[in-house]
């Protein structure tokens, strides 16, 4: 069974940092591109970032470019999202997502940016 | 960026009704289109990928069609457990983009 488990969310002040993790199982992590998608409270879904199989290629939404860094550790079957210079508008549930003959989502982790 | 426009933004239908949601892309995306269902407080659940392929484990009352710029999601017989918000997503080009969602309610 494919499992994606996010962790690392919490309350952080504006300008602060947070690192999210997505621990995976049930599939060959090293062969799969991975994504982060977020959803602000009461709003729609927004794609944030993606990383290729070996981490050599990444892309970001304009709203997070230069502040967020996606990475992965195939030995740990884990993907990360380092979030720096956080803003109020980064408040959202962050989902870890993979695509392989369909999209698979984690349960999400809530990030709240507030003073 | 490719804009995804869903319609309607909300709908109310009776149990047993056939429900259709449409999604239009601002440029051609071939069949790189997915549909998701999201219930309040829950993560999205994938229903359809590649425009018309049913994701494993999804009941056959859900179906998708279309190619290019115009797509539809159909629920053949609406049931109370189908109450949710439905989103389309294009994955042909980065940034991946989602429609604004369609909230489905029971009349």
């Amino acid at each position: 069974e494919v499992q994606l488990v996010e962790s690392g969310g919490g309350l952080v002040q504006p300008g602060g940092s947070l690192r999210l993790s997505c621990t995976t199982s049930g599939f060959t992590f090293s062969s799969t591109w991975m994504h982060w998608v977020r959803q602000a409270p009461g709003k729609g879904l927004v794609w944030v970032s993606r990383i290729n199989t070996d981490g050599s290629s990444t892309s970001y939404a304009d709203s997070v470019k230069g502040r967020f860094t996606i990475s992965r550790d195939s030995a740990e079957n884990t993907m990360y999202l380092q979030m720096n210079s956080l803003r109020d508008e980064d408040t959202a549930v962050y989902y870890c997502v993979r695509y392989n003959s369909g999209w698979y989502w984690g349960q999400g982790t809530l990030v709240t940016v507030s003073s | 960026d490719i804009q995804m426009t869903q319609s309607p933004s909300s709908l109310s239908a009776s149990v047993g009704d056939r429900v259709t949601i449409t999604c239009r892309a601002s440029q051609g995306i071939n069949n790189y289109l997915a549909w998701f269902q999201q219930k309040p407080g829950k993560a999205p659940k994938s229903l359809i990928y590649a425009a018309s392929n049913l994701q494993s484990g999804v009941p056959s009352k859900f179906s998708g069609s279309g190619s290019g710029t115009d797509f539809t999601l159909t629920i053949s017989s609406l049931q109370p457990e189908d109450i949710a918000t439905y989103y389309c997503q294009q994955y042909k080009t980065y940034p991946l983009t989602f429609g604004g969602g369609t909230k489905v309610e029971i009349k």
Side-chain angles (χ1 to χ4, degrees):
Chain A
E1 180 192 3
V2 172
Q3 288 204 342
L4 306 169
V5 180
E6 303 90 338
S7 61
L11 175 63
V12 60
Q13 292 189 338
S17 298
L18 214 53
R19 188 177 83 154
L20 306 183
S21 299
C22 171
T23 303
T24 74
S25 61
F27 64 98
T28 307
F29 179 75
S30 59
S31 301
T32 306
W33 287 36
M34 298 292 297
H35 304 258
W36 288 99
V37 173
R38 71 184 182 183
Q39 185 172 36
K43 301 297 185 182
L45 300 166
V46 177
W47 175 83
V48 173
S49 183
R50 67 90 182 157
I51 187 167
N52 71 343
T53 54
D54 65 1
S56 62
S57 174
T58 59
S59 60
Y60 300 90
D62 285 346
S63 59
V64 307
K65 203 171 293 182
R67 300 187 299 122
F68 289 12
T69 302
I70 191 172
S71 62
R72 63 191 297 159
D73 182 342
S74 288
E76 299 292 329
N77 291 334
T78 300
M79 176 178 66
Y80 303 99
L81 186 67
Q82 177 67 43
M83 303 186 296
N84 298 331
S85 302
L86 282 162
R87 306 166 179 168
D88 291 351
E89 56 265 33
D90 295 318
T91 293
V93 175
Y94 285 74
Y95 295 102
C96 165
V97 189
R98 77 175 272 254
Y99 177 82
N100 183 22
S101 295
W103 291 89
Y104 297 84
W105 297 68
Q107 86 290 346
T109 187
L110 176 63
V111 172
T112 303
V113 183
S114 175
S115 54
Chain B
D1 299 1
I2 298 176
Q3 307 303 317
M4 305 300 293
T5 303
Q6 275 183 248
S7 61
S9 56
S10 66
L11 68 88
S12 182
S14 300
V15 171
D17 281 356
R18 183 181 184 88
V19 169
T20 298
I21 299 168
T22 64
C23 181
R24 174 164 288 177
S26 60
Q27 58 187 267
I29 59 170
N30 301 115
N31 69 337
Y32 293 97
L33 191 284
W35 289 98
F36 305 106
Q37 175 195 65
Q38 188 176 34
K39 298 182 179 180
K42 300 294 187 182
K45 173 187 174 183
S46 298
L47 300 175
I48 301 285
Y49 68 97
S52 60
N53 290 275
L54 202 63
Q55 184 130 352
S56 177
V58 173
S60 59
K61 64 179 174 180
F62 293 98
S63 64
S65 65
S67 184
T69 61
D70 294 311
F71 303 86
T72 61
L73 172 71
T74 299
I75 308 172
S76 60
S77 177
L78 187 69
Q79 299 301 311
E81 62 267 25
D82 302 326
I83 300 313
T85 299
Y86 293 82
Y87 294 93
C88 62
Q89 177 218 40
Q90 67 81 19
Y91 53 101
K92 181 179 187 297
T93 306
Y94 289 99
L96 307 188
T97 47
F98 293 84
T102 296
K103 188 173 184 179
V104 175
E105 298 175 325
I106 296 284
K107 191 181 294 182

